[in-house]
mmCIF file of all heavy atoms in Angstrom:
data_model
loop_
_atom_site.group_PDB
_atom_site.id
_atom_site.type_symbol
_atom_site.label_atom_id
_atom_site.label_comp_id
_atom_site.label_asym_id
_atom_site.label_seq_id
_atom_site.Cartn_x
_atom_site.Cartn_y
_atom_site.Cartn_z
ATOM 1 N N ARG Q 146 1.987 -6.597 3.986
ATOM 2 C CA ARG Q 146 0.975 -6.237 4.981
ATOM 3 C C ARG Q 146 -0.241 -7.153 4.871
ATOM 4 O O ARG Q 146 -0.810 -7.566 5.885
ATOM 5 C CB ARG Q 146 0.573 -4.774 4.825
ATOM 6 C CG ARG Q 146 1.681 -3.802 5.241
ATOM 7 C CD ARG Q 146 1.328 -2.365 4.952
ATOM 8 N NE ARG Q 146 0.137 -1.919 5.658
ATOM 9 C CZ ARG Q 146 0.125 -1.512 6.931
ATOM 10 N NH1 ARG Q 146 1.228 -1.501 7.631
ATOM 11 N NH2 ARG Q 146 -1.013 -1.111 7.481
ATOM 12 N N HIS Q 147 -0.641 -7.502 3.647
ATOM 13 C CA HIS Q 147 -1.765 -8.424 3.461
ATOM 14 C C HIS Q 147 -1.436 -9.793 4.048
ATOM 15 O O HIS Q 147 -2.291 -10.415 4.685
ATOM 16 C CB HIS Q 147 -2.119 -8.540 1.982
ATOM 17 C CG HIS Q 147 -2.994 -7.438 1.494
ATOM 18 N ND1 HIS Q 147 -4.134 -7.663 0.766
ATOM 19 C CD2 HIS Q 147 -2.906 -6.091 1.622
ATOM 20 C CE1 HIS Q 147 -4.713 -6.508 0.470
ATOM 21 N NE2 HIS Q 147 -3.971 -5.536 0.981
ATOM 22 N N ALA Q 148 -0.198 -10.259 3.820
ATOM 23 C CA ALA Q 148 0.202 -11.558 4.366
ATOM 24 C C ALA Q 148 0.177 -11.524 5.895
ATOM 25 O O ALA Q 148 -0.317 -12.459 6.536
ATOM 26 C CB ALA Q 148 1.597 -11.935 3.859
ATOM 27 N N ALA Q 149 0.684 -10.444 6.482
ATOM 28 C CA ALA Q 149 0.700 -10.323 7.938
ATOM 29 C C ALA Q 149 -0.712 -10.259 8.513
ATOM 30 O O ALA Q 149 -0.977 -10.771 9.600
ATOM 31 C CB ALA Q 149 1.494 -9.090 8.355
ATOM 32 N N ALA Q 150 -1.622 -9.639 7.777
ATOM 33 C CA ALA Q 150 -3.009 -9.511 8.236
ATOM 34 C C ALA Q 150 -3.841 -10.748 7.909
ATOM 35 O O ALA Q 150 -4.967 -10.872 8.379
ATOM 36 C CB ALA Q 150 -3.656 -8.275 7.609
ATOM 37 N N GLY Q 151 -3.299 -11.625 7.076
ATOM 38 C CA GLY Q 151 -4.039 -12.827 6.708
ATOM 39 C C GLY Q 151 -5.198 -12.573 5.769
ATOM 40 O O GLY Q 151 -6.191 -13.293 5.801
ATOM 41 N N THR Q 152 -5.076 -11.566 4.920
ATOM 42 C CA THR Q 152 -6.155 -11.273 3.974
ATOM 43 C C THR Q 152 -5.697 -11.544 2.547
ATOM 44 O O THR Q 152 -4.534 -11.334 2.208
ATOM 45 C CB THR Q 152 -6.645 -9.812 4.092
ATOM 46 O OG1 THR Q 152 -7.707 -9.619 3.156
ATOM 47 C CG2 THR Q 152 -5.550 -8.811 3.816
ATOM 48 N N ASP Q 153 -6.620 -12.033 1.744
ATOM 49 C CA ASP Q 153 -6.308 -12.246 0.324
ATOM 50 C C ASP Q 153 -7.037 -11.231 -0.557
ATOM 51 O O ASP Q 153 -7.154 -11.409 -1.765
ATOM 52 C CB ASP Q 153 -6.626 -13.667 -0.110
ATOM 53 C CG ASP Q 153 -8.093 -14.028 0.044
ATOM 54 O OD1 ASP Q 153 -8.869 -13.209 0.569
ATOM 55 O OD2 ASP Q 153 -8.469 -15.133 -0.377
ATOM 56 N N ALA Q 154 -7.508 -10.134 0.044
ATOM 57 C CA ALA Q 154 -8.145 -9.064 -0.730
ATOM 58 C C ALA Q 154 -7.132 -8.470 -1.696
ATOM 59 O O ALA Q 154 -5.929 -8.454 -1.419
ATOM 60 C CB ALA Q 154 -8.679 -7.983 0.213
ATOM 61 N N ASP Q 155 -7.611 -8.001 -2.827
ATOM 62 C CA ASP Q 155 -6.723 -7.417 -3.831
ATOM 63 C C ASP Q 155 -6.048 -6.144 -3.319
ATOM 64 O O ASP Q 155 -6.611 -5.400 -2.523
ATOM 65 C CB ASP Q 155 -7.494 -7.060 -5.106
ATOM 66 C CG ASP Q 155 -7.820 -8.271 -5.955
ATOM 67 O OD1 ASP Q 155 -7.311 -9.372 -5.663
ATOM 68 O OD2 ASP Q 155 -8.593 -8.112 -6.918
ATOM 69 N N VAL Q 156 -4.840 -5.921 -3.815
ATOM 70 C CA VAL Q 156 -4.148 -4.646 -3.648
ATOM 71 C C VAL Q 156 -4.539 -3.812 -4.861
ATOM 72 O O VAL Q 156 -4.544 -4.313 -5.989
ATOM 73 C CB VAL Q 156 -2.613 -4.863 -3.624
ATOM 74 C CG1 VAL Q 156 -1.871 -3.540 -3.666
ATOM 75 C CG2 VAL Q 156 -2.207 -5.685 -2.407
ATOM 76 N N GLU Q 157 -4.888 -2.568 -4.645
ATOM 77 C CA GLU Q 157 -5.263 -1.691 -5.758
ATOM 78 C C GLU Q 157 -4.145 -0.695 -6.038
ATOM 79 O O GLU Q 157 -3.566 -0.124 -5.112
ATOM 80 C CB GLU Q 157 -6.542 -0.908 -5.431
ATOM 81 C CG GLU Q 157 -7.776 -1.751 -5.383
ATOM 82 C CD GLU Q 157 -9.013 -0.911 -5.108
ATOM 83 O OE1 GLU Q 157 -8.889 0.216 -4.587
ATOM 84 O OE2 GLU Q 157 -10.102 -1.397 -5.415
ATOM 85 N N VAL Q 158 -3.875 -0.514 -7.323
ATOM 86 C CA VAL Q 158 -2.923 0.491 -7.776
ATOM 87 C C VAL Q 158 -3.704 1.433 -8.685
ATOM 88 O O VAL Q 158 -4.240 1.004 -9.708
ATOM 89 C CB VAL Q 158 -1.740 -0.151 -8.530
ATOM 90 C CG1 VAL Q 158 -0.760 0.916 -9.003
ATOM 91 C CG2 VAL Q 158 -1.036 -1.189 -7.659
ATOM 92 N N VAL Q 159 -3.794 2.687 -8.291
ATOM 93 C CA VAL Q 159 -4.558 3.682 -9.038
ATOM 94 C C VAL Q 159 -3.566 4.680 -9.628
ATOM 95 O O VAL Q 159 -2.769 5.273 -8.901
ATOM 96 C CB VAL Q 159 -5.579 4.397 -8.144
ATOM 97 C CG1 VAL Q 159 -6.358 5.436 -8.939
ATOM 98 C CG2 VAL Q 159 -6.515 3.393 -7.497
ATOM 99 N N VAL Q 160 -3.629 4.862 -10.938
ATOM 100 C CA VAL Q 160 -2.742 5.778 -11.648
ATOM 101 C C VAL Q 160 -3.582 6.929 -12.176
ATOM 102 O O VAL Q 160 -4.625 6.717 -12.793
ATOM 103 C CB VAL Q 160 -2.032 5.059 -12.822
ATOM 104 C CG1 VAL Q 160 -1.117 6.003 -13.560
ATOM 105 C CG2 VAL Q 160 -1.278 3.843 -12.328
ATOM 106 N N ASP Q 161 -3.102 8.144 -11.936
ATOM 107 C CA ASP Q 161 -3.827 9.341 -12.372
ATOM 108 C C ASP Q 161 -2.816 10.317 -12.965
ATOM 109 O O ASP Q 161 -1.844 10.684 -12.307
ATOM 110 C CB ASP Q 161 -4.539 9.968 -11.179
ATOM 111 C CG ASP Q 161 -5.438 11.131 -11.565
ATOM 112 O OD1 ASP Q 161 -5.351 11.620 -12.701
ATOM 113 O OD2 ASP Q 161 -6.221 11.549 -10.703
ATOM 114 N N ASP Q 162 -3.028 10.717 -14.206
ATOM 115 C CA ASP Q 162 -2.106 11.676 -14.833
ATOM 116 C C ASP Q 162 -2.802 12.983 -15.165
ATOM 117 O O ASP Q 162 -2.373 13.731 -16.030
ATOM 118 C CB ASP Q 162 -1.428 11.082 -16.060
ATOM 119 C CG ASP Q 162 -2.358 10.873 -17.238
ATOM 120 O OD1 ASP Q 162 -3.569 11.127 -17.108
ATOM 121 O OD2 ASP Q 162 -1.875 10.453 -18.301
ATOM 122 N N ASP Q 163 -3.864 13.274 -14.447
ATOM 123 C CA ASP Q 163 -4.599 14.519 -14.649
ATOM 124 C C ASP Q 163 -4.020 15.571 -13.701
ATOM 125 O O ASP Q 163 -4.341 15.601 -12.525
ATOM 126 C CB ASP Q 163 -6.090 14.294 -14.383
ATOM 127 C CG ASP Q 163 -6.929 15.475 -14.800
ATOM 128 O OD1 ASP Q 163 -6.484 16.254 -15.654
ATOM 129 O OD2 ASP Q 163 -8.044 15.612 -14.261
ATOM 130 N N GLY Q 164 -3.131 16.411 -14.213
ATOM 131 C CA GLY Q 164 -2.485 17.408 -13.366
ATOM 132 C C GLY Q 164 -1.299 16.849 -12.620
ATOM 133 O O GLY Q 164 -1.243 16.888 -11.402
ATOM 134 N N GLY Q 165 -0.354 16.305 -13.330
ATOM 135 C CA GLY Q 165 0.797 15.645 -12.719
ATOM 136 C C GLY Q 165 0.659 14.150 -12.884
ATOM 137 O O GLY Q 165 -0.216 13.663 -13.603
ATOM 138 N N PHE Q 166 1.517 13.396 -12.223
ATOM 139 C CA PHE Q 166 1.457 11.943 -12.293
ATOM 140 C C PHE Q 166 1.403 11.417 -10.869
ATOM 141 O O PHE Q 166 2.332 11.620 -10.084
ATOM 142 C CB PHE Q 166 2.675 11.382 -13.026
ATOM 143 C CG PHE Q 166 2.621 9.896 -13.200
ATOM 144 C CD1 PHE Q 166 1.739 9.327 -14.099
ATOM 145 C CD2 PHE Q 166 3.434 9.069 -12.446
ATOM 146 C CE1 PHE Q 166 1.677 7.949 -14.252
ATOM 147 C CE2 PHE Q 166 3.380 7.693 -12.599
ATOM 148 C CZ PHE Q 166 2.501 7.132 -13.504
ATOM 149 N N ALA Q 167 0.303 10.769 -10.525
ATOM 150 C CA ALA Q 167 0.108 10.258 -9.175
ATOM 151 C C ALA Q 167 -0.210 8.770 -9.215
ATOM 152 O O ALA Q 167 -0.883 8.295 -10.128
ATOM 153 C CB ALA Q 167 -1.023 11.005 -8.478
ATOM 154 N N VAL Q 168 0.302 8.065 -8.217
ATOM 155 C CA VAL Q 168 0.035 6.642 -8.060
ATOM 156 C C VAL Q 168 -0.413 6.426 -6.621
ATOM 157 O O VAL Q 168 0.237 6.900 -5.692
ATOM 158 C CB VAL Q 168 1.287 5.788 -8.349
ATOM 159 C CG1 VAL Q 168 0.998 4.311 -8.129
ATOM 160 C CG2 VAL Q 168 1.813 6.033 -9.749
ATOM 161 N N GLU Q 169 -1.517 5.734 -6.460
ATOM 162 C CA GLU Q 169 -1.970 5.332 -5.136
ATOM 163 C C GLU Q 169 -1.878 3.821 -5.037
ATOM 164 O O GLU Q 169 -2.312 3.109 -5.945
ATOM 165 C CB GLU Q 169 -3.419 5.746 -4.892
ATOM 166 C CG GLU Q 169 -3.625 7.222 -4.764
ATOM 167 C CD GLU Q 169 -5.054 7.591 -4.424
ATOM 168 O OE1 GLU Q 169 -5.918 6.679 -4.300
ATOM 169 O OE2 GLU Q 169 -5.316 8.800 -4.290
ATOM 170 N N VAL Q 170 -1.307 3.337 -3.941
ATOM 171 C CA VAL Q 170 -1.281 1.907 -3.648
ATOM 172 C C VAL Q 170 -2.147 1.724 -2.413
ATOM 173 O O VAL Q 170 -1.863 2.281 -1.351
ATOM 174 C CB VAL Q 170 0.155 1.405 -3.417
ATOM 175 C CG1 VAL Q 170 0.142 -0.080 -3.058
ATOM 176 C CG2 VAL Q 170 1.019 1.657 -4.653
ATOM 177 N N ARG Q 171 -3.224 0.969 -2.584
ATOM 178 C CA ARG Q 171 -4.224 0.797 -1.522
ATOM 179 C C ARG Q 171 -4.200 -0.632 -1.015
ATOM 180 O O ARG Q 171 -4.360 -1.578 -1.793
ATOM 181 C CB ARG Q 171 -5.611 1.121 -2.057
ATOM 182 C CG ARG Q 171 -5.742 2.538 -2.588
ATOM 183 C CD ARG Q 171 -7.076 2.736 -3.255
ATOM 184 N NE ARG Q 171 -7.225 4.099 -3.766
ATOM 185 C CZ ARG Q 171 -8.190 4.483 -4.565
ATOM 186 N NH1 ARG Q 171 -9.120 3.603 -4.961
ATOM 187 N NH2 ARG Q 171 -8.251 5.730 -4.985
ATOM 188 N N ASP Q 172 -3.999 -0.765 0.282
ATOM 189 C CA ASP Q 172 -4.083 -2.103 0.877
ATOM 190 C C ASP Q 172 -5.351 -2.191 1.714
ATOM 191 O O ASP Q 172 -6.079 -1.209 1.869
ATOM 192 C CB ASP Q 172 -2.823 -2.429 1.690
ATOM 193 C CG ASP Q 172 -2.648 -1.584 2.943
ATOM 194 O OD1 ASP Q 172 -3.638 -1.368 3.682
ATOM 195 O OD2 ASP Q 172 -1.518 -1.143 3.202
ATOM 196 N N ARG Q 173 -5.630 -3.370 2.203
ATOM 197 C CA ARG Q 173 -6.827 -3.596 3.029
ATOM 198 C C ARG Q 173 -6.391 -4.178 4.368
ATOM 199 O O ARG Q 173 -6.806 -5.257 4.766
ATOM 200 C CB ARG Q 173 -7.784 -4.538 2.320
ATOM 201 C CG ARG Q 173 -8.269 -3.972 1.014
ATOM 202 C CD ARG Q 173 -9.725 -4.316 0.812
ATOM 203 N NE ARG Q 173 -10.171 -3.830 -0.469
ATOM 204 C CZ ARG Q 173 -10.941 -2.769 -0.601
ATOM 205 N NH1 ARG Q 173 -11.325 -2.101 0.445
ATOM 206 N NH2 ARG Q 173 -11.322 -2.388 -1.793
ATOM 207 N N THR Q 174 -5.504 -3.434 5.040
ATOM 208 C CA THR Q 174 -5.016 -3.860 6.345
ATOM 209 C C THR Q 174 -5.247 -2.744 7.352
ATOM 210 O O THR Q 174 -5.471 -1.600 6.978
ATOM 211 C CB THR Q 174 -3.510 -4.193 6.295
ATOM 212 O OG1 THR Q 174 -2.777 -3.003 5.992
ATOM 213 C CG2 THR Q 174 -3.227 -5.253 5.245
ATOM 214 N N ALA Q 175 -5.164 -3.080 8.623
ATOM 215 C CA ALA Q 175 -5.334 -2.085 9.679
ATOM 216 C C ALA Q 175 -4.209 -1.055 9.592
ATOM 217 O O ALA Q 175 -3.041 -1.428 9.486
ATOM 218 C CB ALA Q 175 -5.322 -2.765 11.041
ATOM 219 N N PRO Q 176 -4.534 0.235 9.604
ATOM 220 C CA PRO Q 176 -3.498 1.261 9.511
ATOM 221 C C PRO Q 176 -2.418 1.150 10.576
ATOM 222 O O PRO Q 176 -1.267 1.501 10.336
ATOM 223 C CB PRO Q 176 -4.277 2.571 9.663
ATOM 224 C CG PRO Q 176 -5.653 2.243 9.191
ATOM 225 C CD PRO Q 176 -5.873 0.819 9.609
ATOM 226 N N GLU Q 177 -2.764 0.620 11.742
ATOM 227 C CA GLU Q 177 -1.783 0.512 12.820
ATOM 228 C C GLU Q 177 -0.882 -0.719 12.701
ATOM 229 O O GLU Q 177 0.044 -0.902 13.488
ATOM 230 C CB GLU Q 177 -2.480 0.524 14.189
ATOM 231 C CG GLU Q 177 -3.390 -0.655 14.443
ATOM 232 C CD GLU Q 177 -4.811 -0.474 13.897
ATOM 233 O OE1 GLU Q 177 -5.113 0.562 13.278
ATOM 234 O OE2 GLU Q 177 -5.606 -1.401 14.090
ATOM 235 N N LEU Q 178 -1.119 -1.578 11.696
ATOM 236 C CA LEU Q 178 -0.299 -2.769 11.491
ATOM 237 C C LEU Q 178 1.140 -2.344 11.194
ATOM 238 O O LEU Q 178 1.390 -1.572 10.263
ATOM 239 C CB LEU Q 178 -0.854 -3.592 10.325
ATOM 240 C CG LEU Q 178 -0.130 -4.884 9.986
ATOM 241 C CD1 LEU Q 178 -0.375 -5.918 11.080
ATOM 242 C CD2 LEU Q 178 -0.607 -5.420 8.647
ATOM 243 N N PRO Q 179 2.109 -2.829 11.980
ATOM 244 C CA PRO Q 179 3.497 -2.442 11.708
ATOM 245 C C PRO Q 179 4.029 -3.124 10.452
ATOM 246 O O PRO Q 179 3.587 -4.212 10.084
ATOM 247 C CB PRO Q 179 4.248 -2.923 12.957
ATOM 248 C CG PRO Q 179 3.418 -4.039 13.502
ATOM 249 C CD PRO Q 179 1.988 -3.719 13.137
ATOM 250 N N ASP Q 180 4.984 -2.473 9.814
ATOM 251 C CA ASP Q 180 5.620 -3.069 8.637
ATOM 252 C C ASP Q 180 6.660 -4.093 9.091
ATOM 253 O O ASP Q 180 7.423 -3.844 10.034
ATOM 254 C CB ASP Q 180 6.308 -1.988 7.792
ATOM 255 C CG ASP Q 180 5.300 -1.076 7.099
ATOM 256 O OD1 ASP Q 180 4.126 -1.459 6.986
ATOM 257 O OD2 ASP Q 180 5.713 0.004 6.662
ATOM 258 N N ASP Q 181 6.710 -5.239 8.408
ATOM 259 C CA ASP Q 181 7.653 -6.296 8.761
ATOM 260 C C ASP Q 181 9.098 -5.951 8.406
ATOM 261 O O ASP Q 181 10.017 -6.607 8.852
ATOM 262 C CB ASP Q 181 7.278 -7.604 8.047
ATOM 263 C CG ASP Q 181 6.048 -8.261 8.656
ATOM 264 O OD1 ASP Q 181 5.678 -7.902 9.788
ATOM 265 O OD2 ASP Q 181 5.473 -9.139 7.995
ATOM 266 N N ASP Q 182 9.299 -4.929 7.591
ATOM 267 C CA ASP Q 182 10.647 -4.602 7.125
ATOM 268 C C ASP Q 182 11.279 -3.426 7.867
ATOM 269 O O ASP Q 182 12.226 -2.820 7.389
ATOM 270 C CB ASP Q 182 10.632 -4.325 5.619
ATOM 271 C CG ASP Q 182 9.870 -3.060 5.272
ATOM 272 O OD1 ASP Q 182 9.227 -2.471 6.162
ATOM 273 O OD2 ASP Q 182 9.923 -2.645 4.108
ATOM 274 N N GLU Q 183 10.730 -3.109 9.036
ATOM 275 C CA GLU Q 183 11.235 -2.015 9.873
ATOM 276 C C GLU Q 183 11.225 -0.666 9.147
ATOM 277 O O GLU Q 183 12.072 0.183 9.359
ATOM 278 C CB GLU Q 183 12.640 -2.336 10.391
ATOM 279 C CG GLU Q 183 12.653 -3.579 11.250
ATOM 280 C CD GLU Q 183 14.028 -3.962 11.736
ATOM 281 O OE1 GLU Q 183 14.995 -3.233 11.480
ATOM 282 O OE2 GLU Q 183 14.124 -5.010 12.392
ATOM 283 N N GLY Q 184 10.275 -0.498 8.233
ATOM 284 C CA GLY Q 184 10.118 0.777 7.544
ATOM 285 C C GLY Q 184 11.022 0.990 6.344
ATOM 286 O O GLY Q 184 11.061 2.086 5.784
ATOM 287 N N MET Q 185 11.736 -0.043 5.916
ATOM 288 C CA MET Q 185 12.669 0.107 4.795
ATOM 289 C C MET Q 185 11.949 0.471 3.496
ATOM 290 O O MET Q 185 12.413 1.341 2.749
ATOM 291 C CB MET Q 185 13.481 -1.174 4.588
ATOM 292 C CG MET Q 185 14.544 -1.044 3.518
ATOM 293 S SD MET Q 185 15.778 0.226 3.836
ATOM 294 C CE MET Q 185 16.649 -0.497 5.196
ATOM 295 N N ALA Q 186 10.827 -0.166 3.202
ATOM 296 C CA ALA Q 186 10.100 0.138 1.964
ATOM 297 C C ALA Q 186 9.652 1.596 1.943
ATOM 298 O O ALA Q 186 9.835 2.293 0.938
ATOM 299 C CB ALA Q 186 8.898 -0.792 1.792
ATOM 300 N N LEU Q 187 9.107 2.061 3.052
ATOM 301 C CA LEU Q 187 8.667 3.460 3.098
ATOM 302 C C LEU Q 187 9.846 4.423 2.982
ATOM 303 O O LEU Q 187 9.735 5.467 2.337
ATOM 304 C CB LEU Q 187 7.895 3.745 4.387
ATOM 305 C CG LEU Q 187 6.456 3.262 4.417
ATOM 306 C CD1 LEU Q 187 5.820 3.563 5.765
ATOM 307 C CD2 LEU Q 187 5.652 3.886 3.295
ATOM 308 N N ALA Q 188 10.971 4.072 3.569
ATOM 309 C CA ALA Q 188 12.157 4.927 3.456
ATOM 310 C C ALA Q 188 12.612 5.031 2.004
ATOM 311 O O ALA Q 188 12.947 6.124 1.528
ATOM 312 C CB ALA Q 188 13.282 4.384 4.331
ATOM 313 N N LEU Q 189 12.597 3.917 1.281
ATOM 314 C CA LEU Q 189 12.976 3.943 -0.135
ATOM 315 C C LEU Q 189 11.984 4.750 -0.959
ATOM 316 O O LEU Q 189 12.379 5.545 -1.817
ATOM 317 C CB LEU Q 189 13.075 2.524 -0.692
ATOM 318 C CG LEU Q 189 14.327 1.754 -0.317
ATOM 319 C CD1 LEU Q 189 14.169 0.285 -0.682
ATOM 320 C CD2 LEU Q 189 15.537 2.352 -0.990
ATOM 321 N N VAL Q 190 10.707 4.564 -0.701
ATOM 322 C CA VAL Q 190 9.679 5.312 -1.420
ATOM 323 C C VAL Q 190 9.865 6.811 -1.191
ATOM 324 O O VAL Q 190 9.855 7.604 -2.132
ATOM 325 C CB VAL Q 190 8.262 4.867 -1.000
ATOM 326 C CG1 VAL Q 190 7.206 5.812 -1.529
ATOM 327 C CG2 VAL Q 190 7.994 3.440 -1.481
#
C-alpha cells in the first residue's frame, strides 16, 4: 500500500500483551486505496 501511494513513511507494528495478545499494523495510506492483491492478504489474515 505504501508503494502504491508513493510514500516512504514507516509502517508501524504495535504489540500489546496486556489482556490477550494484540498486534496492530499501521500504514500511512488513504483508507480507500484498493489492495493490489485483490484482497488475498486480508483473506489470509
Side-chain angles (χ1 to χ4, degrees):
R146 290 174 61 82
H147 278 229
T152 181
D153 61 355
D155 284 351
V156 171
E157 290 182 340
V158 180
V159 180
V160 180
D161 186 347
D162 70 357
D163 190 23
F166 184 72
V168 178
E169 291 184 359
V170 178
R171 301 173 180 169
D172 67 44
R173 298 218 183 255
T174 64
E177 64 274 2
L178 181 71
D180 290 342
D181 286 343
D182 67 352
E183 299 178 4
M185 185 60 70
L187 282 178
L189 283 168
V190 169

